[in-house]
Every structure is written in structure tokens, then in C-alpha cells.
Amino acid sequence: MTGIMSTPTVHEPARSTPVIGEYDVVVIGGGPAGLMAATAASRHGMSTLLVEMYGFLGGAGTMGGLATFCGMHARVFGTDVQSIHGYADELLDRMRALDGLNEPHLSVADRIQALSYDISALKLAADELVTSGGAEILFHTRAVGVARSADDRIDAVIVESKSGRAAVRGRFFIDGSGDADIAAWAGAPFERSEKLMYPSLMFRINGVDSDEAGEAWRVVREQMEQAEAAGTHTFPRKKPIVRPQRNPLEWRSNLTQLSNADGSPVDGTDVHQLTRGELQGRRQVWDAFEFIRDHTPGFRDSYIVDIAPSVGIRETRRILGGLQLTEEDVLGCADFDDTIGVNGWPVEAHVTGDVAFRFAPVDSRGYNQLPYRMLVPQRVENLLVAGRCASMTQGGQSSGRVTGPCFAMGQAAGTAAAMALGAGLGGADIDVSELQRRLESDGAFLGLELPV
Ligand SMILES: Cc1cc2nc3c(=O)[nH]c(=O)nc-3n(C[C@H](O)[C@H](O)[C@H](O)COP(=O)(O)OP(=O)(O)OC[C@H]3O[C@@H](n4cnc5c(N)ncnc54)[C@H](O)[C@@H]3O)c2cc1C
């Protein structure tokens, strides 16, 4: 940090913090995992609050500008099938009703299906889904700490917003922050890779002549490689994704890579690095856009319609839960007795200057099961952790972090929290076969037989 600094700390006087609500379940973070967790907890009869620091739900899917659901499908012995169900089906139905969801398309060198969507439709559908079961939402509110009632129990999360600093009491908490904020503050063990996966800043282009552009996504990569070989351009990352949206006037673009001055990945838990990432990302967006506009058929009159509200963070803290999902589990299509859902996405490693994809064998079942133990932190009884900060190694997380498995983890965490409260147990002690029964009766696919 530069600037004038006299003493390294300031003293803040102790103060009493008002409690602004008491709930059975408090979910922090309204991304794919958190929004499903809040839906599940409320539908299982719990008074539920979802705390989200932005003014809309969807997490990286909205504030990060993704516009594609990955990991909703698996290639099962050569056939593409939807492998994530449950409340996710209802979310997709609501998005379809808003005319904001595409049919699945083939992605990653035609090896796996993905689903593109309109970001506004996800915002609206997520609002509807979460509130439909009675969960309340507190937008524009950031969790900044926890108060504990015992070494192994959280009493309240401390939040800050335009209304000031406050506490929200809960009997059970679900950390869907993506960064394991709550778990870390509550003292649950976590790890952080020595070298994180690189973040990106997404953007969308409008005004594309779709007839002329055709399947231009197949040529952008080659054009960029040729320009680099000719020495006219350098790009921060290979394997760009530039694809049309439901209305092909608009194309989404995923081709930036955010780094520090020494080349290391921007860390999403460091505000100085985040700031640098935003500035660098917007510069990269403009450079990439200019290149695409000037070289790609159909893009001559196009313009940037949106740069995502925030840089997209792929990886920060990951908790050390009852079991870590590994890359070997993903590539070997592993089974677990305590399965709560499945994951059919390949390992997608965002390494320096490139993205490396690694798939389960072509003739395999194409998905691994997700064990409940991924969601169960050590040391904190009334907490579950779902989404990209669940218990996975870096290789496992490079696959399991995408939206589909995060939906599955979120639904399982919310359902499990309701069961734990119903039985007066900690998250680690619930009856997992009963959890599996409830998830299946709510439509989830646990991978116990082949999907249809
Ligand atoms: C650039 C990029 C591109 C990607 N592309 C795709 C893609 O095309 N398809 C795909 O499926 N996946 C993609 N991913 C993966 C994506 O991260 C996951 O799909 C998913 O969004 C992770 O879900 P999550 O709920 O765990 O966390 P997040 O989506 O990160 O959501 C966390 C939520 O918690 C909120 N939050 C965080 N901290 C606090 C706090 N202290 N207080 C209150 N609220 C808080 C955040 O605002 C956010 O809404 C991409 C990721 C990135 C970064």
C-alpha cells in the first residue's frame, strides 16, 4: 500500500451491535450455491434469510457476466444428457418462461453441452425461486464477521450496509460466499492454492450481423493465434470463448486473464489486487474487442454493450471438510456412499496464458458423484459450506466449481441444514440416507443409476 501512513492501526471503541433479525437458517451469498441453499431451507420449513452484497442474485452468473451454465450436463457413454435436476429444473423453467434460456449447445471443442442464458432472466428467475418458498433476502448487505456462542458454534453474522453495522442471528448458517468468508472467520480449517486459478472479466458485444458472423466462434481463436504469430498482437490468454446469445445480435466474450505485476493471478480476497484486476480487465476487454471488431466477419458495426459489474473470481479459499473432491475423482467418475448430486464438467484449469481442459475418458459414464462430506467443515457444528469454496483440491475445484454442481451442493446444504435443526444435530451428524431420500423426492439426481 502506498500513500501517507503514520501509525499502522487505528483504535475503534467497542460497541454494541443491534440484532436486526433471527432466523433458523442464514445463508451468506446468493450465487448458484447460496440461492439453492436458501430455496431448500425455506421449502423445508425453516425461516430463512439470504444475505447478498450485490442488489441481485446469481453470483458470478450475473455480477460476473458469465451468461452460460456449465456442468448441467454430462456426456454419458457418448450421449449428452442433463445431469443436474431438482430446484435447478424449476429455475430453468422460470428462465424459459421469461424467454431467456437457449437450447443446450456443444462447448469445449464439442465435447460437452452448456446452456447459455440472458443475465436479466437469471436475475428475475432467481428472485422468484428464492422467495417462492418464503425465504427473505437482504440485498446490498455484506457479511463482515461472525459472533460465536461457543468455540464450535456461530451465533450471528455481522453485516454492514447503507443502514449501518448490524448482526443477524441464526440457528444454522450456510456459507455460499464463494470465498469461504464465514467458515474462515468462524475458525474452520481451509486451504488456498499457492498459485490460484486466474480470474477473468467478462463482456458482451452487441450489434453483430449474425448472418455474416455465422459460426465465427470457430475462427476467433485461429485469428488471434495468427496475429500473435505475426507479432502484431499479444493476448493475455489463449482459447477465447466468443459465442452468440439467444438473440444472436449479442455475443458473450470470455478471453481475459487478470494478473498482478509479477504475473501471479489476482487474488479475489485482496482488495488492492481486485482493484488492479478491474482496471486491467477493462483494458483487456477493449483491446480484445477492437481486435474482434476489426477481424471477425459480422462484427464491423458491433459495440461493447456490457462489461460485467465485477471481475469473476474462480478460486480463493477452499475449506478442508470431511473429504476433498480431487481431480482423480473427477477424471475417474468416482462414486461416494454419501452422494448428494453429480458433476459432469471436465477439469478446466486457468493457468498462465491458457486454459487446460481434462476430460474423463470418452467411453466413460462421464460424471462423478459429489459427496456430502464436501459441504461439512471441521470444527464448526452449525455451518455448511456450498459452492466453489466447498472441500475440493485445486484440481477437483477446477471442475466442481461450475454452476451445475454448485446448484446441487446448494440444494443439499439447505436441505441438510433443515434436517440438522429438526433433529437437534450438527451438520456432520445428520442421517445422510434420509438426506438422499429427501433430495430425490425434491427431484435431484444423485447419480445412483444412469440419467435418462
Ligand atoms: C470469469 C469466470 C467465468 C466462468 N464461466 C463459467 C461459465 O461459463 N459457466 C459456469 O457454469 N461457470 C462458470 N464459472 C464458474 C463460476 O464461478 C461458478 O459457476 C459459480 O458461480 C460459483 O458459485 P458459488 O455460488 O459458489 O459462488 P459465486 O458465484 O462466486 O457467488 C458468491 C456470492 O456470494 C456473494 N458474497 C460473497 N461474499 C459475500 C459476503 N461477505 N457477504 C455477502 N455476500 C457475499 C457474492 O456477491 C456472490 O453473489 C466462471 C467463473 C468465472 C470467474
Side-chain angles (χ1 to χ4, degrees), residues 29-238:
L35 74 89
M36 288 299 171
T39 303
S42 61
R43 292 203 183 175
H44 283 272
M46 299 294 115
S47 65
T48 303
L49 179 72
L50 175 53
V51 177
E52 167 55 49
M53 68 187 195
Y54 287 92
F56 46 82
L57 302 175
T62 49
M63 56 89 170
L66 309 191
T68 315
F69 293 140
C70 298
M72 297 295 295
H73 297 80
R75 183 164 287 184
V76 180
F77 300 113
T79 305
D80 294 308
V81 283
Q82 187 182 330
S83 52
I84 298 293
H85 290 283
Y87 299 142
D89 284 329
E90 198 177 319
L91 184 76
L92 298 186
D93 286 346
R94 289 174 187 273
M95 292 173 72
R96 243 176 239 117
L98 295 163
D99 206 17
L101 188 68
N102 254 331
E103 292 302 315
H105 64 271
L106 283 172
S107 178
V108 198
D110 296 344
R111 281 288 308 271
I112 188 91
Q113 282 190 327
L115 263 178
S116 69
Y117 59 82
D118 290 342
I119 288 170
S120 302
L122 174 55
K123 288 181 181 172
L124 279 159
D127 286 349
E128 291 172 7
L129 181 75
V130 169
T131 54
S132 64
E136 293 174 34
I137 301 173
L138 207 50
F139 281 135
H140 298 291
T141 306
R142 181 189 281 260
V144 295
V146 298
R148 281 187 282 188
S149 52
D151 276 354
D152 60 356
R153 291 191 70 78
I154 302 173
D155 177 31
V157 295
I158 309 298
V159 297
E160 287 183 348
S161 70
K162 280 288 184 184
S163 304
R165 187 173 166 95
V168 180
R169 275 223 165 83
R171 296 166 64 211
F172 208 99
F173 296 83
I174 296 172
D175 187 339
S177 67
D179 298 320
D181 282 354
I182 305 303
W185 297 330
F190 63 86
E191 71 176 18
R192 173 200 290 277
S193 306
E194 210 163 290
K195 186 163 183 189
L196 297 166
M197 291 288 139
Y198 282 87
S200 300
L201 181 61
M202 308 282 283
F203 66 105
R204 299 197 313 282
I205 299 171
N206 207 322
V208 178
D209 179 335
S210 57
D211 290 337
E212 196 186 336
E215 296 197 348
W217 66 84
R218 298 193 187 278
V219 302
V220 173
R221 175 174 167 180
E222 203 180 314
Q223 286 172 334
M224 289 172 79
E225 283 168 5
Q226 282 168 359
E228 284 206 319
T232 55
H233 294 75
T234 47
F235 298 104
R237 157 184 154 186
K238 300 190 195 326

